[in-house]
Every structure is written in C-alpha cells, then in structure tokens.
Amino acid sequence: MEQKQSLINHFAQSLTGAWELVKLNPRAMDYFDKSADGFWKSFWAIALVAPVFFLGLNISYDAAVAQGHQISLTAHVVEFLFRLPLIALVMIFFTRFLRIDAHYSDMIIAFNWLWVIANYILLPLSMLISMNILPIEVATLGVVAIAIYLELYVTWFLYKVSLKVSGWLAFGVMVFKALFTLSVMQVIIRVF
C-alpha cells in the first residue's frame, strides 16, 4: 500500500510540475523527480493518457467511418504507444550532437508529464467536436489556439528551462522534435 501511495504522490507532483509549465513558471522544473527512477516513472504518462486516447480514438473512428473515410486504428495505436519512447531515444542523440545533453533526462521527464496535461486538455475538446456537441467552427478555432499554445509556446518554454539553453536553441530543438514526430507518423501510416 505504501508503494502505491508513493506512486500516486509522484504522479500528482509531476502533473503539478507540468501544470506549472503550462503557466510558464520558471520554477516548474523543481516539481519533477529528476532521478533515474523519476525518468523511468515518467513513461507512466502513456498509461495515464491511454483511457482518454482510446475513448477519443473510438469516437473519432466512428465519426470517420460514418463519413466514409478509410482510417487505420493500428497506425494510431502504434504511434500512441511508441511516441514517447521514440522521442526519448532520438533526443539522446540529438542533444548529444548539439552538446546540450547535460539535462537530457530532465527534459524527457518534463516533456512526458506535459504530454499528459496536453492530451487531457486537447483530446476531450476534440471528442466534443467529433460528437457535434460543440459548434465545429468556434470549437476548432479554440482547439487550434490551445494546441498552438501548448505544442509551440509551452513546449519551447519546456526545452528552454529543462535543457537550460537559449530561446533560439530551444526553438531549434522544438522544430526538430516536431519534424521527427511528423516523419515517424507518416512512416507508421504507410506501414500500417
């Protein structure tokens, strides 16, 4: 029971840190467990996002089929399961190449927990749009604005404070990660 409680406390503290990143708090990194154990526990993010991901996938799949679109569930599931591990793997080499790897694990820990917060904000909104509960035009504009804030500005801020680099270098890391993620998704779609 003690172990389970400490894991829940770990999740709560890490998600608090991620929320502080969303609020652009420069002290947000203080909330994360930056140990090796904290690094590996950050991949629990996949399990924490899974319920909302699979619910959203079910809703969007039903909506896409109703509109006659061909959609591969396997590609989405594979991409979901391997996104964080692949980003962690490629970022080892990328940060070493740029000689900014001193805080690599801090960056991965913060990124994984921020990914949880971003998914719990964006996926429910997307589901409400897919189910025609929110008006498409207004809601889509809102989701795009929130996604730009989270995926661009907050992610840039995360790289800047976690890697302890300049804003320009953080921007370069953000662009590299975005291009890598898009490339991997395209490969997965073609394979599956």
Side-chain angles (χ1 to χ4, degrees):
M1 192 65 160
E2 178 83 33
Q3 195 73 331
K4 193 173 211 174
Q5 183 62 32
S6 69
L7 189 60
I8 290 169
N9 288 340
H10 178 82
F11 291 168
Q13 184 173 341
S14 299
L15 292 171
T16 300
W19 185 248
E20 291 299 316
L21 284 170
V22 170
K23 295 179 351 185
L24 305 178
N25 179 352
R27 308 275 315 164
M29 294 304 296
D30 295 344
Y31 289 87
F32 297 107
D33 173 2
K34 295 179 259 187
S35 68
D37 188 45
F39 175 85
W40 293 112
K41 282 181 180 174
S42 75
F43 290 94
W44 272 97
I46 298 167
L48 293 177
V49 172
V52 74
F53 170 78
F54 285 108
L55 178 62
L57 187 60
N58 186 44
I59 291 169
S60 64
Y61 179 77
D62 291 345
V65 169
Q67 295 173 0
H69 296 290
Q70 186 70 21
I71 184 170
S72 169
L73 283 175
T74 306
H76 287 289
V77 171
V78 168
E79 193 272 337
F80 170 75
L81 293 175
F82 289 101
R83 175 181 289 243
L84 295 184
L86 282 175
I87 289 171
L89 182 64
V90 78
M91 285 304 222
I92 290 172
F93 300 107
F94 186 67
T95 56
R96 281 184 187 161
F97 175 75
L98 294 178
R99 295 189 177 115
I100 56 171
D101 59 331
H103 301 284
Y104 156 80
S105 65
D106 298 356
M107 181 261 303
I108 293 299
I109 291 165
F111 181 85
N112 289 352
W113 291 115
L114 178 62
W115 185 73
V116 174
I117 297 287
N119 276 288
Y120 271 93
I121 292 171
L122 294 171
L123 288 176
L125 290 173
S126 299
M127 284 186 264
L128 293 173
I129 294 169
S130 294
M131 295 167 31
N132 294 320
I133 293 173
L134 295 177
I136 292 177
E137 297 82 14
V138 176
T140 302
L141 184 60
V143 168
V144 168
I146 293 168
I148 288 171
Y149 177 74
L150 291 172
E151 297 290 332
L152 296 179
Y153 195 61
V154 175
T155 302
W156 167 81
F157 179 76
L158 176 149
Y159 291 136
K160 184 174 182 278
V161 298
S162 65
L163 290 171
K164 301 180 191 293
V165 295
S166 71
W168 285 108
L169 192 50
F171 178 77
V173 173
M174 182 186 70
V175 168
F176 172 79
K177 195 278 304 175
L179 292 174
F180 171 75
T181 304
L182 287 172
S183 300
V184 167
M185 188 58 194
Q186 291 304 311
V187 169
I188 289 172
I189 287 171
R190 289 178 195 271
V191 170
F192 295 99

